[in-house]
């Protein structure tokens, strides 16, 4: 029997300062060196995920952008999900209601995230401050420019009262996640292609590796779907209440190396 272990990053494997502890790195890397299958599934891009998780030497594909992409260790995409042109209608709907998202896209085969600086909310500015110097930055001046390229992810960061109606409006057509950011507590509405989920990407990874069982770890609403498809699922102590309902069990918090402690004690 082979088992695939997949952890969320922010609020789960990462501490609250966006780093992995030496203990976590030692335990997980030792597990990988002995032939264990360990990966992560994150809302982050491969660009930022590979930085914050650089101490974890996973040698199998990882899941980024909440399941939009399954990326091999050599950077090759094994799975990708993009919007069709109907996303322009969603964008126009958002614009008409004074919501101007950060739009993630590929332009001329290069990954970019586009936004209009003069229309950024305070929450957007807080997020963008953490991405200074990022090669993917694409500042634009008009809403039409936000539609350029092959779009795969919309990040709306605004007040909850503005965002919540659009979650209910589009949640049955797209993969929508409405929650507060783990670090800033700002409300986020994320809109992705319907098939772009952690669960779909994880099941493809499980089949790719021919693993018999799946064990996952998480803390947020965007981890619910992967908890639903796993054989065992463990929520860190600091997880949201919605996720805990789907957990097989509880483990120590992200700041107390909950995932690594479970692996060391159980495997």
């Amino acid at each position: 029997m082979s088992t695939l272990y997949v952890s969320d990053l922010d609020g789960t494997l990462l501490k609250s300062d966006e780093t992995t502890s030496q203990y976590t790195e030692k335990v997980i890397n030792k597990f990988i060196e002995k032939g264990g299958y360990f990966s992560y599934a994150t809302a982050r891009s491969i660009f930022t995920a590979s930085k914050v998780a650089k101490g974890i030497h996973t040698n199998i594909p990882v899941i980024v952008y909440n399941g939009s992409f399954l990326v091999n260790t050599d950077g090759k995409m094994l799975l990708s999900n993009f919007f069709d042109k109907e996303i322009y209608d969603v964008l126009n709907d958002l614009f008409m209601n004074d919501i101007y998202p950060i739009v993630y896209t590929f332009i001329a085969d290069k990954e970019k995230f586009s936004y209009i600086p003069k229309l950024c909310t305070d929450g957007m500015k807080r997020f963008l401050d953490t991405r200074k110097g990022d090669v993917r930055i694409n500042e634009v001046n008009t809403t039409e420019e936000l539609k350029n390229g092959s779009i795969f992810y919309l990040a709306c960061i605004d007040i909850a009262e503005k965002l919540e109606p659009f979650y209910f409006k589009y949640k049955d057509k797209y993969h929508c996640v409405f929650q507060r950011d783990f670090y800033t507590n700002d409300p986020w509405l994320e809109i992705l292609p319907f098939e772009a989920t952690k669960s779909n990407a994880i099941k493809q990874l499980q089949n790719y590796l021919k693993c018999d069982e799946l064990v996952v770890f998480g803390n947020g609403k965007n981890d619910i779907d992967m908890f639903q498809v796993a054989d065992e699922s463990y929520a860190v102590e600091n997880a949201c209440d919605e996720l805990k309902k789907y957990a097989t069990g509880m483990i120590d918090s992200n700041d107390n190396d909950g995932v690594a402690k479970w692996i060391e004690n159980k495997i």
Side-chain angles (χ1 to χ4, degrees):
M1 294 280 288
S2 58
T3 304
L4 170 62
Y5 297 86
V6 180
S7 176
D8 171 56
L9 287 183
D10 294 282
T12 305
L13 196 65
L14 300 181
K15 297 189 298 179
S16 296
D17 62 0
E18 300 183 62
T19 65
T20 50
S21 71
Q22 290 184 346
Y23 169 75
T24 283
E25 292 169 2
K26 180 181 178 181
V27 169
I28 293 177
N29 289 335
K30 182 178 180 181
F31 172 64
I32 293 170
E33 288 168 7
K34 289 187 174 182
Y37 291 123
F38 184 91
S39 185
Y40 57 76
T42 178
R44 289 177 179 263
S45 68
I46 189 63
F47 184 82
T48 61
S50 59
K51 285 185 176 181
V52 296
K54 63 183 178 182
I56 305 299
H57 304 152
T58 183
N59 54 9
I60 60 176
V62 298
I63 295 150
V64 295
Y65 285 122
N66 276 331
S68 289
F69 303 126
L70 178 61
V71 184
N72 211 340
T73 50
D74 61 3
K76 179 182 178 182
M77 287 188 189
L78 303 179
L79 171 69
S80 61
N81 291 280
F82 290 90
F83 288 112
D84 57 28
K85 291 184 178 180
E86 288 186 1
I87 197 60
Y88 299 152
D89 295 329
V90 177
L91 283 168
N92 288 333
D93 194 11
L94 293 170
F95 300 155
M96 288 176 62
N97 288 273
D98 296 320
I99 299 172
Y100 303 96
I102 301 173
V103 179
Y104 289 75
T105 180
F106 276 84
I107 300 174
D109 294 325
K110 292 184 178 180
E111 184 184 335
K112 298 291 182 181
F113 59 85
S114 305
Y115 59 94
I116 303 173
K118 63 184 179 183
L119 296 178
C120 284
T121 63
D122 290 340
M124 291 171 70
K125 292 174 183 176
R126 280 187 283 271
F127 170 74
L128 293 168
D129 280 344
T130 69
R131 297 297 186 267
K132 287 181 178 179
D134 196 312
V135 297
R136 299 168 299 156
I137 291 174
N138 183 42
E139 295 184 353
V140 300
N141 297 310
T142 67
T143 54
E144 283 304 305
E145 291 176 280
L146 287 178
K147 300 176 183 177
N148 290 341
S150 300
I151 301 171
F152 61 89
Y153 173 52
L154 305 181
C156 309
I157 312 171
D158 211 312
I159 61 174
E161 290 77 11
K162 288 174 67 175
L163 299 180
E164 187 174 26
F166 289 93
Y167 168 76
F168 288 106
K169 183 173 184 177
Y170 290 114
K171 68 182 181 68
D172 295 326
K173 186 173 184 180
Y174 299 102
H175 176 204
C176 296
V177 180
F178 179 53
Q179 61 183 354
R180 289 186 178 272
D181 181 74
F182 177 74
Y183 300 107
T184 66
N185 204 39
D186 289 313
W188 279 57
L189 172 61
E190 301 167 88
I191 304 176
L192 303 96
F194 192 76
E195 295 299 321
T197 64
K198 287 185 177 183
S199 57
N200 284 343
I202 285 173
K203 294 304 289 184
Q204 179 159 328
L205 179 58
Q206 184 180 359
N207 292 333
Y208 175 75
L209 297 171
K210 296 181 172 58
C211 289
D212 303 293
E213 293 184 335
L214 172 64
V215 177
V216 300
F217 309 91
N219 80 301
K221 290 182 182 179
N222 62 333
D223 297 320
I224 289 175
D225 64 290
M226 73 174 185
F227 271 43
Q228 291 175 317
V229 300
D231 295 289
E232 295 181 31
S233 54
Y234 295 92
V236 286
E237 184 181 2
N238 53 285
C240 68
D241 291 338
E242 292 92 334
L243 183 69
K244 291 177 181 178
K245 297 175 184 177
Y246 297 91
T248 302
M250 301 295 300
I251 60 176
D252 212 337
S253 71
N254 66 315
D255 286 324
N256 289 323
D257 301 297
V259 174
K261 284 179 179 176
W262 188 93
I263 289 176
E264 186 171 54
N265 292 331
K266 295 290 184 178
I267 308 177

